[in-house]
Structure formats: structure tokens, C-alpha cells
Amino acid sequence: MSETDSPPDDAQDALGRLYDDPEARIASLQNDRPSDQDVAGQAAIFKALGNDDRLRVLEALRDSECCGCELQVVLDAPQSTVSTHLRKLKEAGLVKSRKKGKWSYYRIADTAVFGLLDLAHAVQDDA
Amino acid sequence: MSETDSPPDDAQDALGRLYDDPEARIASLQNDRPSDQDVAGQAAIFKALGNDDRLRVLEALRDSECCGCELQVVLDAPQSTVSTHLRKLKEAGLVKSRKKGKWSYYRIADTAVFGLLDLAHAVQDDA
DNA sequence: AAGACGAATCGAGAATATACAATATGATGA
DNA sequence: TCATCATATTGTATATTCTCGATTCGTCTT
């Protein structure tokens, strides 16, 4: 039975050579770690935002709600593709929808997403 | 030659039935569209942020810069995995690094990133 | 009730992303 | 110089995501 050394073991060795009191540093690094839930929640939002088409949808919704067929025009993509993107945005809690007759209208769920879009744009410019 | 109807054609038909002046609405939807470059740039940032491990790295860098082996401890993952995540964060322009001897130290490139992390957290809570 | 319509869902192939062992690189020190 | 160390890169298997035709689901109209 070959025993693969547990991933961070060599790293802990390295820290031992880098600091006088590696234990304290390690403890500090491990304590400030956010919860799995928090991180997963944030990641889910960023994943939903990490797609050109979905960003275009949100941008279109900045001014007003849109029905599905309007967003098809915005994306210039097949209906099923657009619908799938909209579902992902809904699942991520970024948009809401209402039905009116055979039309579905989509709108931004939380205007804070505009903050995310604008900040990402700013970060991009700085780089 | 079967001519697949260009994706948004049926959608434009639908808009024709929904609005008195569909042309105007279509023009408006298409004009307010952000540039490919802008969208791709934003998406690249969100893609880099759409991963649990990379969010943990950024969170660890909130307080101070860290060397690679410290981030191995934070993530509890093999060295090559951590290094790959760090490269992605660098490519996205979210972190910078400096070399000191055999150590590489990583730091946040733009504190606006914290705004993104915090906003995503807030959006998550609202949902 | 029947057909048309907008939208949602399904399914499969393609494209991306991820994890990580193995290996390479480059710095340090004996 | 040679061994060791921290990190970077590469190769590859696996997993996730994306796209989009086909189908299904409600709703409206006649």
C-alpha cells in the first residue's frame, strides 16, 4: 500500500520553513475560510453570469422586461437555446418571470445584478 | 436546398403580432446591444469567479498576499491543482504575483474584486 | 374541438472546464 | 556540482456546460 501524502502535507512542510510559527499561520488560514454554502452560492451566481448570451439578456432587461421572443431577437439564437439560458438565469435567482397568455415576460429579480455587471466592466477596464 | 429559417425569424413574426410597430422595437433591442468585446471581457471575469476553489483563494487574499504553499493549505488540494487555479485568476487579471526566491506570492490585482464578491453574496441572500 | 402559436423540456453530440499525477523549471544551499 | 525545494507546465481522464432539433405543454383563436 503506497501512501500518497495527503495534499497539503508538503505545503505545510514548506510553511514550516517559511515561518517561525507555522501552526499559527495555518490556523489563521483555515479559520478565515468561508463556509461551503456561502462559496457555493456565490459561485452559482458567477457561473450564471459567465456566459456571453446570458450577459446580453441581462443587459437587455436593464431597461424593461422582455418576453421570450424579444430575447430571441436580442441573442439571434434558436428558441430552445434562449429558453435554456433563461432557465439558468431563473435558477440562479437573477431573473423572474410572469406569464401573460402564451407569452412569458422576464425581468431582473434584483437590481444588484447591475452592480455586478458594472463592476465587472470596471475591473475589465482597469486590467 | 432546404432553407432553415434563420433563428430569430419566427420570433420577429411573434413581435409583429405583439406590437403595432415591431420594427421600432426590434431596432431598439438590437441597438442597445453591448459590444462583443465588452461582453466577452465581463464573461471572462465571471468565468474566473465561477469556481469554489478560486473564490476561496480570493477570500484568502482579502487580508494579505499569500504564497502558493499557503494557498495549498487553504484549498486542501494538490499543488498542481492550486497552481492551475492561480494561473486562471492571473489570466483573468484578478490577481498578480511576484517571485521571491523560490516562492511565488499572490495578491489581489484590483480591490474592486471584493466588491464583486460582496455583491454576489448580497444577491445570494436576497434570493 | 382543431389548429396555430409562444414557450418549456428532452436528448444527444460538441465544446469547455476540472482534477491531478508526472514531469519540467528555476532557485537555493550544501 | 548536486540534491532539494517551491512552483509551473503538460498530458489525460473525467465532469460539466452548451447548443439546438425535436417534442411536448398550455393558451388562444376560430
Side-chain angles (χ1 to χ4, degrees):
Chain A
M1 286 147 254
S2 69
E3 183 182 330
T4 55
D5 42 359
S6 169
D9 281 3
D10 57 333
Q12 296 204 7
D13 294 347
L15 283 181
R17 280 180 286 275
L18 191 54
Y19 292 109
D20 290 342
D21 186 356
E23 312 287 349
R25 179 59 175 158
I26 290 170
S28 158
L29 287 170
Q30 293 180 336
N31 286 342
D32 296 350
R33 224 164 12 183
S35 77
D36 285 3
Q37 261 202 345
D38 279 4
V39 171
Q42 283 174 305
I45 288 177
F46 288 129
K47 276 177 198 156
L49 292 171
N51 175 280
D52 293 27
D53 281 349
R54 290 195 291 271
L55 290 179
R56 285 184 191 288
V57 166
L58 294 175
E59 206 56 52
L61 296 180
R62 202 186 268 264
D63 300 321
S64 62
E65 70 176 6
C66 293
C67 67
C69 55
E70 289 175 305
L71 296 171
Q72 276 180 64
V73 171
V74 168
L75 295 188
D76 191 15
Q79 185 268 326
S80 67
T81 299
V82 176
S83 184
T84 299
H85 283 312
L86 290 168
R87 176 159 41 97
K88 294 214 163 191
L89 287 172
K90 275 181 71 174
E91 285 171 355
L94 299 179
V95 307
K96 290 186 186 303
S97 68
R98 70 185 172 92
K99 289 214 78 156
K100 168 116 183 206
K102 32 186 181 177
W103 283 271
S104 283
Y105 288 90
Y106 294 88
R107 66 183 184 281
I108 295 291
D110 183 343
T111 54
V113 291
F114 297 136
L116 286 168
L117 299 181
D118 294 341
L119 254 178
H121 195 268
V123 169
Q124 182 64 13
D125 284 349
D126 292 356
Chain B
M1 284 150 260
S2 70
E3 185 181 328
T4 56
D5 43 358
S6 171
D9 280 3
D10 57 334
Q12 296 204 9
D13 293 347
L15 284 181
R17 280 180 286 275
L18 191 54
Y19 292 109
D20 289 343
D21 187 356
E23 312 287 349
R25 179 59 174 158
I26 289 170
S28 159
L29 287 170
Q30 294 181 334
N31 286 343
D32 296 351
R33 222 161 17 179
S35 77
D36 286 3
Q37 260 203 345
D38 280 4
V39 171
Q42 283 173 305
I45 287 178
F46 288 129
K47 276 177 198 156
L49 293 171
N51 174 279
D52 293 27
D53 281 350
R54 289 195 292 271
L55 290 179
R56 285 184 192 287
V57 166
L58 294 175
E59 206 55 53
L61 296 181
R62 202 185 268 267
D63 300 322
S64 62
E65 69 175 7
C66 293
C67 67
C69 55
E70 288 174 306
L71 297 172
Q72 276 181 64
V73 171
V74 169
L75 295 188
D76 190 16
Q79 185 268 327
S80 66
T81 298
V82 176
S83 184
T84 299
H85 282 310
L86 289 168
R87 190 184 27 182
K88 292 212 166 190
L89 287 171
K90 275 182 72 174
E91 285 170 355
L94 299 179
V95 307
K96 290 187 185 302
S97 67
R98 69 183 173 93
K99 289 214 78 157
K100 168 114 183 209
K102 30 184 181 176
W103 283 271
S104 283
Y105 288 91
Y106 293 89
R107 66 184 184 281
I108 294 290
D110 183 342
T111 54
V113 184
F114 299 135
L116 286 169
L117 298 181
D118 294 341
L119 254 179
H121 195 269
V123 169
Q124 182 64 13
D125 284 349
D126 293 355

